[in-house]
Amino acid sequence: MKLKRPDESGRFGEFGGRFAPETLIPALDQLAAAFEKAWDDEHFVDEYRRVLRDFVGRPTPLHEATRLSERLGVRILLKREDLAHTGAHKINNAVGQVMLARDMGKPRVIAETGAGQHGVATATAAAYFGLECDVYMGEVDIERQALNVHRMGMLGAEVIPVTSGAATLKDAVSEAMRDWVRTVETTHYVIGSVVGPHPFPWMVREFQKVIGEEALVQLGGTMPDDIVACVGGGSNAIGIFYPFAGLGPRLIGVEAAGLGIASGRHGASIGAGTPGILHGTKTYLLQDAEGQVLEAHSISAGLDYPGVGPEHAFFAETGIARYESATDEEALAALELLTRTEGIIPALEPAHAIAWIVREAEALAGRTVLVNLSGRGDKDVEQLARMEP
Ligand SMILES: *Cc1c(COP(=O)(O)O)cnc(C)c1O
């Protein structure tokens, strides 16, 4: 398989790389070598494809959102990652990395999780392949996503609460990395997005690009005008963007504007951040003048991260994709609109992508827009019910 980006040192232009503690370098080297070998090995690739088909339920459908299209005057196609096993795109990556852990002879995997989706996906893949699994999760998120915490327990994973910092996703990643430094001989760290030190951003993109590859086939030779996806760390977005990059469609990533960019309470790392280093990679992030990383805010736990994958930083810098944002309020309205017009309750994360289309509907009139519906909203129902007056 041809691998054009990143370069040898894991750089996407000036972004990416490997800013990791000394103790992790051998494990990162081992992982990069194991992945490169596996991705070139037809037995590994065949098994991966078979598990995606028979266990995950791929290919996920491409859904013509007729009533929503009529309402907005924009033709909208939904890539239904919400129909993948466990309810989001995260499983594509979790299956691939747990297979790699098995092949590297590591009996234990760890993961961080925000919304709980990546924790559930990793616990699910670990159960399927018979590996031990511990999941780091911020206490605030444990509270927001109680159902997913329970699901992980049922799947045999242990959920380890993280109380440092804001007790959300960034802190869970930091704790998982600390665990990995101590246990690297027996443990693989299944990172949940296209973030972290090389080879993670590249490897996770390779596991997620199946989304865009399937969509290309399902479109049967036609091209959408625009492709829209929400961006937390950026894995569902890169997964649908990557196979289309350079083929014509505009690529639009939608970050969380939270309470509004001006409020300072948001998760728009590209839109309102600056270049810096977080979790082992150079990318755009939310930081103060001294380089202290700021807390992100979003109504959706999955977009509540102050950094973004380095390949998105590269896409933004080079104009390959553009990055917009939608507020909590806009996402809530879009969630309701999609639910009522299509009978699909989306997760709060992809509701941000729909929200951008709603806001831009006039400018998008007559165009065909492919949206990555990255996950289903079941996990958010309890949170939404609590908000009702
Ligand atoms: C985790 C999650 C996201 C955000 O992660 P990305 O890496 O940006 O894709 C988006 N949507 C859903 C449904 C998620 O579970």
Side-chain angles (χ1 to χ4, degrees):
M1 234 164 279
K2 279 263 284 300
L3 304 164
K4 282 180 294 193
R5 272 190 309 269
D7 69 12
E8 297 283 294
S9 56
R11 294 273 180 168
F12 303 89
E14 67 166 299
F15 299 103
R18 186 184 272 177
F19 299 86
E22 205 82 46
T23 39
L24 284 186
I25 300 297
L28 293 168
D29 281 337
Q30 181 198 19
L31 180 61
F35 173 65
E36 194 147 4
K37 183 162 159 280
W39 215 221
D40 238 356
D41 172 7
E42 73 182 270
H43 297 293
F44 184 95
V45 173
D46 281 352
E47 184 187 7
Y48 177 62
R49 294 219 176 104
R50 183 167 46 75
V51 176
L52 289 190
R53 186 190 65 206
D54 300 341
F55 183 61
V56 174
R58 304 205 70 89
T60 58
L62 190 70
H63 170 101
E64 178 97 42
T66 320
R67 293 191 64 228
L68 181 64
S69 300
E70 219 163 86
R71 179 74 72 87
L72 297 177
V74 181
R75 180 174 176 230
I76 297 172
L77 303 171
L78 303 174
K79 181 62 174 155
R80 299 288 308 275
E81 292 302 296
D82 61 313
L83 293 178
H85 182 42
T86 70
H89 68 290
K90 298 262 168 46
I91 190 77
N92 305 327
N93 167 50
V95 163
Q97 287 201 50
V98 170
M99 281 177 60
L100 267 182
R102 177 199 64 186
D103 292 354
M104 288 186 292
K106 297 191 174 182
R108 174 177 179 255
V109 292
I110 55 172
E112 85 295 338
T113 198
Q117 288 304 107
H118 176 57
V120 168
T122 305
T124 298
Y128 181 87
F129 289 104
L131 272 65
E132 198 188 319
C133 178
D134 291 332
V135 179
Y136 287 89
M137 188 170 189
E139 271 200 329
V140 170
D141 291 333
I142 288 179
E143 160 100 11
R144 287 197 279 199
Q145 305 287 350
L147 196 64
N148 272 344
V149 174
H150 200 72
R151 285 164 87 193
M152 288 183 266
M154 289 178 73
L155 290 158
E158 191 171 333
V159 177
I160 305 173
V162 175
T163 53
S164 55
T168 58
L169 184 55
K170 165 172 76 75
D171 315 292
V173 176
S174 302
E175 279 307 319
M177 283 197 160
R178 261 172 232 137
D179 179 315
W180 202 33
V181 169
R182 289 192 305 270
T183 61
V184 66
E185 295 292 322
T186 55
T187 299
H188 172 63
Y189 175 22
V190 182
I191 265 188
S193 190
V194 284
V195 301
H198 178 65
F200 284 109
W202 158 54
M203 178 176 69
V204 177
R205 177 252 277 163
E206 288 297 302
F207 285 138
Q208 290 292 3
K209 73 180 185 189
V210 62
I211 302 171
E213 287 172 347
E214 283 177 6
L216 261 174
V217 173
Q218 289 165 323
L219 285 160
T222 65
M223 275 292 154
D225 297 299
D226 306 286
I227 302 178
V228 185
C230 65
V231 176
S235 67
N236 87 88
I238 212 81
I240 198 162
F241 288 176
Y242 189 76
F244 287 91
L247 297 186
R250 289 195 309 174
L251 309 176
I252 295 138
V254 183
E255 299 188 298
L259 302 178
I261 301 288
S263 73
R265 306 259 295 137
H266 59 78
S269 314
I270 295 179
T274 48
I277 289 163
L278 178 64
H279 296 141
T281 195
K282 183 175 177 193
T283 187
Y284 279 100
L285 49 113
L286 303 177
Q287 57 188 334
D288 67 16
E290 277 80 51
Q292 288 300 308
V293 178
L294 301 171
E295 300 302 341
H297 167 85
S298 172
I299 192 170
S300 62
L303 303 186
D304 207 342
Y305 182 68
V308 67
E311 195 164 15
H312 285 293
F314 174 75
F315 276 18
E317 197 99 321
T318 53
I320 293 173
R322 52 187 262 229
Y323 295 84
E324 306 283 343
S325 63
T327 63
D328 291 351
E329 211 179 300
E330 289 173 316
L332 282 169
L335 183 147
E336 185 177 323
L337 179 65
L338 182 65
T339 303
R340 295 293 175 88
T341 54
E342 295 294 328
I344 297 169
I345 303 178
L348 280 165
E349 290 85 359
H352 288 71
I354 305 288
W356 179 79
I357 297 168
V358 172
R359 195 203 309 142
E360 294 295 318
E362 223 167 280
L364 295 171
R367 295 171 74 91
T368 297
V369 181
L370 169 63
V371 185
N372 198 4
L373 195 68
S374 54
R376 66 180 185 224
D378 301 46
K379 69 179 176 59
D380 299 318
V381 169
E382 203 192 319
Q383 184 190 350
L384 294 170
R386 266 187 266 142
M387 287 170 51
E388 262 159 31

